[in-house]
Amino acid sequence: MDNILIVDYEKCNGCQYCMLVCSMAHEGYVQMSRSRVKVYKLESEALGIPMLCEHCDEPPCIPSCPVDALGKDIKSGIVSIDLQTCTGCKLCVEACPYSAVRMNPDGNKAFICDLCGGDPECAKACMPKAITWVEAKPSAIWMKNHCTDKRVEAMERLLEV
Amino acid sequence: MYGWNDCILYVDLTKRRIWKEPLSKSLREAFIGGRGVNVRLLWDLTKPGVEPLSPENVLILGTGPLTGTIVPMTSRTTITTKSPATNLYVKSSMGGQFAGELKFAGYDHIVFLGISEKPAFLWINDDTVELRNAEDLWGFDVRETDSAIKRDLGDRDIRVTSIGQAGESLVKYAAIMNSVYNAAARGGVGAVMGSKNLKAIAVRGTGKITVRDPERLGEAVSKASEDLKERAAHFEYGTSRGIVNLNDIYSMPSYNFQSGYLKDGHLLAGPYLAEMGYLKAKRAQVGCFGCPIGCHLYNVVEKGPYKGYAVGPEYETSFSLGFSTGVADPEAVLKANELCNIMGLDAISTGVTISWAMESYEKGVLTKDDTDGLELRFGNAEALVKIIPMIARREGKIGALLAEGTKRAAETIGGDSWKWAMSNSKGLEISGVDLRTFKTRMLTYSVNPRGPDHLFHEVFPTPERVYEITGKDPSQLELAEGIPPPEAQFEGAFGSVIGLPTKVEAQIARWYEDRFAVTDALGICKFSGNAIHLNAGMMSEMFSAVTGVETSPEQLLFVGRRIYTLERCFNIREGFDRTLDDLPWRIMHEPADWPGISPNSKGKVASPEIVHEMQDEYYKIHGWDLKTGWPHRDTLEKLGLENIAKELETMGKMP
Ligand code: SF4
Ligand code: SF4
Ligand code: SF4
């Protein structure tokens, strides 16, 4: 992968604009449940935590799928779901540690971030730069992992409240 | 349908009946949505002379057709009703996350009629809408209400609009809150909600919003986003930053408008709060729905007597709760801000009313007996923090008195205290600009249909703008070039040194008010400034692309004028005449001549003569009668308000 998506929730203002543009870019209309990024919110503390597919090195979702609908492209590193094969059993939803797999509201198929085919709309739209699309240098990869860990921690707290 | 949902949700609280009606084509075309459709519904659904806190008053929430699309900054919900503070028209608007969720649930507007026998809340789960018992929520603050509803209904994606204790106790300036900290604050809309025994509205929406021409919209949004990015860079720390500069030039209203300066007042502004470690981030950081700018601050006070956390403070909060009360202790002001938010009070009216009480106490008009023993002096931070919950619950003598707002409180206490009650004849407390040093705003604050504040026409005329407004008349060019930048305009330089012709002042006011009305009807945040809100071309492009109703900028602005004029007509129906278009007495009669004030501003007042002269010009260009301030029949007819004219005529309210 030439570029990676870094999501630093400490810069996120919780506006959900990324969700609007993600849905619009993929569906041609806006429906929050079709956004591939979901901003979890704790409004009393003005907290927003954007969660989306991390395209993991060793994706736990892949072995969780009983019909092998999930796969990772070795060259691009992108994880994707074959909608033809997906039966909507939701096992991958549970397997994903990043709350990143969601169910399509009508088709009952799983769906995840596809990095917009290499030109992420959310990164372009996010003005506070909570989501950025940067060259995959070692330092950037460290930053991505660090930011992802921070989000997982923040999510644990949010889910407790 | 594109943009709109074509649906008004009606809730009769008395009969516990809930039904839907389409948002008719005529209503959409004549009034767009939000503030526009709301005022038309208010006119139709109330009878003349309706008591604001009676079952016969209605409470209307409205969103706009752009909300739920990729147009950024479309978070606004407008709340419209007859105000218990002024007995006139009021619309109050809030950001937060509510508007988007309501759109996705499939509604454009909600109308509440009647009054619920017991405390209730409305639960909108897409198509399923029901009234639920809220007896166990009654007495909760806004934060508790928000989390209790989310917990009980088992979904943290629910968005809640509610009142706090202030709305329950019918405080005349109670706010309606959503996303905990976003307020529709002005004019006592929260008291109307409280009078209906309606604690909250919870909504979860999973539907979709489609637009007519995605490609065209995409282009417009890209253009606007570029402008917004540039704008965002200048708006770190949101509204709160302007305080520093204004205080430095002795133009920040303080001590109940007796001064323009507060020692250490700059500490209440974002950059300083951040420096001292009270803010979550070193910039504004909380955004409303779909707003990548995020103008709101988030503060935490970790320990001590003022421990707490909340979104804010805004410019107006720091003005009213800090400068006006003479309290420069940041922790106390942050606490006061939090209390106003979670108890559901308008921070402007709260601070201005407390300041009135402080001045009354220092002048001996109020005694310790009236204040329940509180040393209610300027600068007493402890008293400030103590008295806010008393107001919200109408506790003690002083809580009950101040809950009525400055105008009524001054009438009750008597003496000369009306002279420092900072509300005008309409009865709304003024927002934080010293009009004595800002000529155009003397006009706009006086004619504002809800009372003296900045959100019907917040004028910042730049040279280019004045040139444009005056019709690019070459003879005006020199005049336009002489106009100082906005910061200097505050200092009085605009009105007193340049002395624009009154006709130009009137034109400026009207230029802004048309755009403000359209912005509110579309559901857009005014912080989008020149990128969207003041850019009629951009608004019409976005509106046309979203709805498919091809509309020129001129047509859109015409709708804006229709909305603004109907608001005035509502006031006329409820007894308004020109005498109510005035300013607080102090602003009109007591000169700004405190130590340190710039020579430009020294000795200046917003004299009734100046204000009248500007109003005459302004009424003339509007086609309103100079004596009564009422629109002439042909003015209304030109705006397509024939039936409004007919009704006013029957009431004998046609000049
Ligand atoms: S657009 Fe950016 S700031 Fe807004 S919710 Fe998404 S990540 Fe957060
Ligand atoms: S990269 Fe594209 S698909 Fe992934 S969340 Fe962002 S906008 Fe959606
Ligand atoms: S600019 Fe501020 S008030 Fe406006 S929508 Fe954005 S965050 Fe909300």
Side-chain angles (χ1 to χ4, degrees):
Chain A
M1 226 191 296
D2 298 336
N3 277 41
I4 49 173
L5 210 54
I6 300 183
V7 184
D8 182 355
Y9 89 95
E10 286 177 345
K11 291 187 183 148
C12 169
N13 77 25
C15 71
Q16 303 182 317
Y17 191 56
C18 48
M19 297 178 71
L20 301 177
V21 296
C22 181
S23 170
M24 190 69 181
H26 290 83
E27 322 292 343
Y29 55 81
V30 174
Q31 187 170 22
M32 299 304 248
S33 53
R34 289 185 197 259
S35 167
R36 286 135 202 266
V37 48
K38 174 163 178 172
V39 183
Y40 287 81
K41 287 178 66 72
L42 180 55
E43 294 185 286
S44 57
E45 294 181 28
L47 200 61
I49 312 172
M51 298 303 279
L52 72 180
C53 176
E54 303 290 329
H55 300 278
C56 310
D57 289 339
E58 288 170 42
C61 56
I62 293 182
S64 82
C65 177
V67 293
D68 285 337
L70 280 139
K72 184 175 170 82
D73 185 282
I74 299 182
K75 216 171 124 253
S76 69
I78 293 181
V79 177
S80 60
I81 301 175
D82 179 9
L83 293 183
Q84 250 37 70
T85 319
C86 173
T87 60
C89 73
K90 301 193 183 122
L91 286 173
C92 56
V93 175
E94 277 158 43
C96 173
Y98 304 109
S99 316
V101 191
R102 300 167 71 198
M103 299 306 288
N104 183 323
D106 43 37
N108 205 28
K109 306 263 182 186
F111 73 112
I112 56 173
C113 163
D114 61 6
L115 293 173
C116 296
D119 186 18
E121 292 295 331
C122 55
K124 284 188 271 180
C126 176
M127 287 189 206
K129 299 199 167 61
I131 306 181
T132 48
W133 179 238
V134 298
E135 208 184 310
K137 294 185 218 156
S139 57
I141 293 172
W142 181 88
M143 186 57 96
K144 176 189 158 84
N145 292 337
H146 175 66
C147 285
T148 304
D149 290 347
K150 276 197 302 187
R151 275 186 289 130
V152 171
E153 245 173 67
M155 273 299 283
E156 271 167 21
R157 203 174 71 76
L158 179 139
L159 293 175
E160 266 167 34
V161 178
Chain B
M1 181 157 307
Y2 303 105
W4 293 286
N5 281 312
D6 191 20
C7 188
I8 306 177
L9 181 65
Y10 282 86
V11 181
D12 185 328
L13 294 161
T14 309
K15 300 188 185 129
R16 301 184 72 82
R17 255 191 75 218
I18 297 169
W19 71 99
K20 298 172 195 173
E21 280 182 26
L23 178 59
S24 71
K25 185 159 180 279
S26 59
L27 214 46
R28 290 195 311 266
E29 285 180 1
F31 293 99
I32 300 175
R35 172 176 157 191
V37 169
N38 277 14
V39 63
R40 178 72 228 204
L41 291 173
L42 178 71
W43 179 281
D44 289 341
L45 295 170
T46 54
K47 291 210 182 71
V50 57
E51 275 295 321
L53 298 182
S54 73
E56 285 73 40
N57 195 7
V58 297
L59 183 72
I60 308 169
L61 283 77
T63 64
L66 303 191
T67 303
T69 72
I70 55 163
V71 175
M73 306 179 80
T74 53
S75 67
R76 309 304 296 190
T77 305
T78 297
I79 302 185
T80 305
T81 188
K82 183 170 170 186
S83 160
T86 62
N87 274 316
L88 296 169
Y89 168 82
V90 65
K91 72 98 192 164
S92 194
S93 143
M94 60 186 184
Q97 305 282 333
F98 187 79
E101 204 65 28
L102 188 66
K103 285 292 293 280
F104 293 129
Y107 309 93
D108 302 303
H109 296 259
I110 314 178
V111 178
F112 290 100
L113 310 155
I115 187 166
S116 172
E117 193 194 333
K118 289 195 181 129
F121 79 92
L122 187 73
W123 167 216
I124 305 172
N125 188 6
D126 285 325
D127 279 345
T128 319
V129 186
E130 55 189 294
L131 277 168
R132 294 224 176 168
N133 187 297
E135 278 168 299
D136 53 342
L137 298 175
W138 208 252
F140 276 13
D141 70 29
V142 172
R143 199 151 55 200
E144 291 161 345
T145 306
D146 186 87
S147 53
I149 288 180
K150 285 172 180 167
R151 193 182 51 233
D152 293 352
L153 297 175
D155 185 349
R156 69 168 58 78
D157 290 334
I158 288 170
R159 301 293 168 230
V160 180
T161 286
S162 78
I163 51 170
Q165 294 91 339
E168 294 175 10
S169 335
L170 311 181
V171 175
K172 290 288 188 318
Y173 43 91
I176 294 176
M177 312 292 297
N178 88 95
S179 293
V180 188
Y181 306 109
N182 291 87
R186 304 247 69 196
V189 290
V192 175
M193 186 155 160
S195 76
K196 300 199 171 303
N197 265 328
L198 180 66
K199 178 67 180 173
I201 307 158
V203 59
R204 182 76 178 95
T206 63
K208 58 176 115 158
I209 298 290
T210 45
V211 302
R212 179 71 183 82
D213 188 340
E215 211 169 300
R216 184 174 171 197
L217 182 65
E219 272 166 34
V221 168
S222 301
K223 169 80 186 56
S225 297
E226 283 313 306
D227 293 348
L228 282 177
K229 272 182 198 153
E230 208 173 291
R231 198 177 150 72
H234 299 289
F235 278 84
E236 284 179 334
Y237 303 107
T239 56
S240 87
R241 202 164 61 165
I243 293 166
V244 182
N245 186 28
L246 283 170
N247 200 36
D248 281 347
I249 61 172
Y250 291 80
S251 278
M252 190 67 208
S254 59
Y255 298 98
N256 203 28
F257 288 79
Q258 298 179 91
S259 172
Y261 177 75
L262 176 67
K263 186 170 173 297
D264 291 337
H266 59 274
L267 297 181
L268 304 179
Y272 292 86
L273 292 172
E275 226 24 72
M276 292 180 287
Y278 296 120
L279 300 189
K280 176 174 110 172
K282 288 208 165 195
R283 56 180 300 282
Q285 189 67 31
V286 187
C288 303
F289 173 76
C291 175
I293 287 207
C295 74
H296 303 298
L297 311 171
Y298 177 71
N299 74 75
V300 181
V301 178
E302 265 160 14
K303 50 184 195 301
Y306 303 130
K307 190 167 177 271
Y309 61 98
V311 170
E314 303 288 339
Y315 168 93
E316 292 293 344
T317 324
S318 294
F319 143 71
S320 62
L321 300 172
F323 285 80
S324 194
T325 62
V327 174
D329 172 356
E331 297 194 359
V333 174
L334 294 179
K335 188 71 203 176
N337 167 62
E338 181 191 22
L339 289 170
C340 284
N341 274 321
I342 63 177
M343 303 192 91
L345 284 163
D346 174 6
I348 296 178
S349 288
T350 304
V352 171
T353 305
I354 295 172
S355 316
W356 168 85
M358 288 173 161
E359 189 168 343
S360 302
Y361 185 79
E362 291 197 348
K363 292 190 164 147
V365 186
L366 280 177
T367 64
K368 245 194 180 143
D369 182 44
D370 302 307
T371 65
D372 302 290
L374 284 179
E375 266 295 335
L376 210 49
R377 291 182 184 284
F378 284 113
N380 185 345
E382 213 186 305
L384 168 72
V385 170
K386 242 191 205 146
I387 205 166
I388 292 173
M390 295 176 76
I391 295 174
R393 298 200 180 92
R394 285 185 182 262
E395 253 165 35
K397 269 194 203 166
I398 191 71
L401 176 73
L402 299 189
E404 290 296 304
T406 47
K407 187 166 176 253
R408 288 183 180 81
E411 280 163 12
T412 309
I413 287 300
D416 270 350
S417 70
W418 60 274
K419 289 189 175 169
W420 57 84
M422 295 308 293
S423 52
N424 71 348
S425 296
K426 293 187 182 108
L428 188 79
E429 287 74 22
I430 190 171
S431 66
V433 168
D434 198 324
L435 304 174
R436 289 168 290 202
T437 64
F438 202 151
K439 196 173 159 201
T440 323
R441 291 201 189 186
M442 295 175 192
L443 171 63
T444 60
Y445 277 49
S446 73
V447 297
N448 182 329
R450 79 175 173 192
D453 68 18
H454 52 296
L455 284 163
F456 281 66
H457 10 39
E458 183 165 41
V459 291
F460 275 115
T462 55
E464 306 78 47
R465 185 146 295 150
V466 171
Y467 185 49
E468 183 195 332
I469 291 170
T470 51
K472 302 204 170 138
D473 171 356
S475 70
Q476 303 286 350
L477 188 57
E478 203 180 318
L479 167 80
E481 279 170 351
I483 292 170
E487 315 83 61
Q489 289 174 24
F490 268 114
E491 216 193 339
F494 184 52
S496 41
V497 177
I498 304 298
L500 288 178
T502 37
K503 174 127 186 272
V504 177
E505 304 279 8
Q507 284 174 309
I508 293 170
R510 199 169 63 152
W511 189 92
Y512 278 89
E513 81 202 4
D514 290 343
R515 283 153 185 83
F516 273 59
V518 172
T519 305
D520 283 335
L522 291 172
I524 298 167
C525 176
K526 289 166 189 145
F527 231 63
S528 63
N530 292 339
I532 311 177
H533 151 55
L534 293 174
N535 185 340
M538 179 55 80
M539 288 196 289
S540 79
E541 184 63 16
M542 287 171 160
F543 177 73
S544 305
V546 166
T547 63
V549 182
E550 202 54 48
T551 307
S552 70
E554 293 71 31
Q555 286 170 316
L556 211 53
L557 294 171
F558 189 70
V559 171
R561 190 159 306 165
R562 177 183 296 131
I563 295 169
Y564 184 76
T565 307
L566 180 55
E567 292 169 334
R568 192 169 182 88
C569 289
F570 182 86
N571 277 352
I572 293 162
R573 200 188 83 174
E574 301 306 309
F576 165 92
D577 65 26
R578 184 172 179 172
T579 55
L580 298 186
D581 273 351
D582 64 356
L583 296 171
W585 186 89
R586 169 164 282 164
I587 298 287
M588 294 195 293
H589 297 95
E590 279 181 14
D593 53 0
W594 46 82
I597 195 169
S598 92
N600 286 337
S601 304
K602 205 162 176 58
K604 290 272 171 340
V605 289
S607 75
E609 294 75 40
I610 298 179
V611 175
H612 266 234
E613 201 188 312
M614 281 193 286
Q615 284 177 349
D616 280 352
E617 282 301 335
Y618 173 82
Y619 289 0
K620 265 187 233 157
I621 61 172
H622 261 296
W624 299 346
D625 175 51
L626 294 190
K627 192 162 149 275
T628 54
W630 300 343
H632 291 290
R633 175 200 297 282
D634 62 330
T635 305
L636 296 179
E637 282 170 355
K638 267 187 230 145
L639 287 167
L641 296 171
E642 295 85 355
N643 39 18
I644 304 292
K646 220 174 274 163
E647 280 184 61
L648 287 177
E649 171 129 77
T650 335
M651 296 179 74
K653 306 241 173 192
M654 195 53 72

